[in-house]
Amino acid sequence: LLTTHFEGLWIDPEYRGNAAVVRSLIRELYEVPRSRSEHWAFATAGEDNVRMDSVCRRLGGRQMPPVKFYVMPLGD
C-alpha cells in the first residue's frame, strides 16, 4: 500500500500565524501526492491534538471510523 501520510508541521515560532507561510506549506504538502496521481492522503490527529484536527477539517478532511492498525511480524 503506497499512500501519502500528512504529519503535523513544525513552524518556527517567528513565522507562526503568518498566513503566507501556512499557504505555502499546504501547497507543497499537496504536491507530493499530486505528482504521484494520488487522489487522497492520510492525516492523523490524536485526541489531544486539537490544532491538527482543526487543520484537517478546514482542508476538507473526513474523519474515518475508529480503526486499529497492526504491525505484523515477518520473521527473520
Side-chain angles (χ1 to χ4, degrees):
L1 174 65
L2 176 63
T3 184
T4 299
H5 178 240
F6 293 162
E7 290 286 343
L9 299 173
W10 182 87
I11 300 174
D12 188 297
E14 181 179 344
Y15 298 101
R16 290 181 188 167
N18 182 322
V21 170
V22 173
R23 282 191 303 269
S24 177
L25 286 170
I26 290 171
R27 273 194 303 273
E28 292 297 321
L29 188 73
Y30 278 82
E31 186 57 35
V32 171
R34 286 180 178 154
S35 71
R36 296 193 261 184
S37 299
E38 295 175 358
H39 299 284
W40 50 271
F42 282 105
T44 57
E47 293 295 322
D48 60 339
N49 196 338
V50 176
R51 179 177 285 160
M52 187 63 180
D53 182 71
S54 176
V55 168
C56 289
R57 291 177 188 276
R58 283 194 315 249
L59 293 175
R62 290 175 287 178
Q63 185 177 2
M64 296 173 61
V67 296
K68 295 181 181 180
F69 290 98
Y70 296 88
V71 175
M72 305 304 292
L74 301 178
D76 294 336

